[in-house]
Amino acid sequence: MATSNPVLGYLESRKNLAGCACGLAGVGLTLTGAAGSLWPVVVAGLYGAGALIAPPERTPPPPFPDPAGQLDALRADLATLRAYLAEVELPSAAEGRLTELDSLLEALLEPGWVSDPEQLRVLARAVRQDVPEAVDAFVRSRWWTRVVPGSEPPERHLECQLTALHGEAAAIADTLREAEVRRQETHTRYLEDRGR
């Protein structure tokens, strides 16, 4: 139990408790007469030895959220992203691609599907960084294209970016589908072997 007072912290520490236990053994030796007239040195020495051999205090790891908690936060971030995207004017082709990506992300973020940390990282990066950055870069580039006509249309880059992000999410969906197919096949083999 951690405390802000260092004296109380030491009194509750493993080192002090181990020292006290060994010191009590020294008191026991004194009561049996084995320590003789040097009993204070024996008790203090055993306390010190116990404090030295006790394991050090361990700082607990930070309480990072489990995959389910990460998914809850990611779903909340997806809702925030949707609110942002609802206010942005996008070309119809990019909007259609974004709708496909949004549907795929929503399906992947349903509870019980994604638990692999790497897959969670890819989805989090898509929701929290890649999609907002792609849309924001499009909006900024579109403004400059209107001011300086004749440059490459930003719609093309946005569509390419959304296609790449859809590909990453689709790869995760394919991996999950293949895992479920293998699970189903394994269960079929198990039931067929059990029936023999």
Side-chain angles (χ1 to χ4, degrees):
M1 181 173 162
T3 179
S4 61
N5 187 340
V7 173
L8 289 177
Y10 180 75
L11 290 176
E12 296 173 346
S13 72
R14 294 179 185 177
K15 292 193 172 292
N16 183 48
L17 295 177
C20 288
C22 290
L24 281 176
V27 171
L29 288 174
T30 300
L31 293 177
T32 61
S37 62
L38 297 175
W39 70 268
V41 174
V42 170
V43 170
L46 286 174
Y47 173 86
L52 286 175
I53 64 170
E57 292 298 317
R58 182 181 64 85
T59 303
F64 292 119
D66 61 345
Q70 291 176 10
L71 280 175
D72 291 340
L74 200 48
R75 277 193 293 279
D77 290 343
L78 181 62
T80 303
L81 177 63
R82 285 176 172 162
Y84 162 71
L85 294 174
E87 298 177 10
V88 177
E89 180 188 331
L90 297 173
S92 59
E95 195 167 313
R97 201 66 175 142
L98 191 58
T99 302
E100 293 173 8
L101 177 60
D102 179 69
S103 298
L104 185 54
L105 289 173
E106 182 180 23
L108 289 170
L109 294 178
E110 285 295 317
W113 289 116
V114 176
S115 60
D116 179 62
E118 179 60 25
Q119 292 174 343
L120 281 172
R121 187 186 65 76
V122 169
L123 294 175
R125 186 182 62 209
V127 170
R128 295 176 178 148
Q129 179 182 349
D130 293 337
V131 172
E133 177 65 26
V135 172
D136 185 57
F138 164 75
V139 170
R140 290 171 178 264
S141 298
R142 183 180 57 184
W143 184 83
W144 282 106
T145 304
R146 290 177 183 165
V147 174
V148 183
S151 58
E152 187 175 11
E155 292 85 1
R156 188 175 313 146
H157 287 288
L158 179 61
E159 290 173 29
C160 289
Q161 292 165 0
L162 294 176
T163 299
L165 291 171
H166 188 275
E168 282 185 346
I172 293 173
D174 287 342
T175 301
L176 294 173
R177 182 189 53 77
E178 290 169 8
E180 291 302 317
V181 167
R182 281 194 303 274
R183 179 175 168 222
Q184 187 180 30
E185 291 171 352
T186 302
H187 191 62
T188 300
R189 281 194 300 275
Y190 164 73
L191 292 174
E192 289 173 350
D193 292 344
R194 191 175 70 177
R196 293 180 187 165

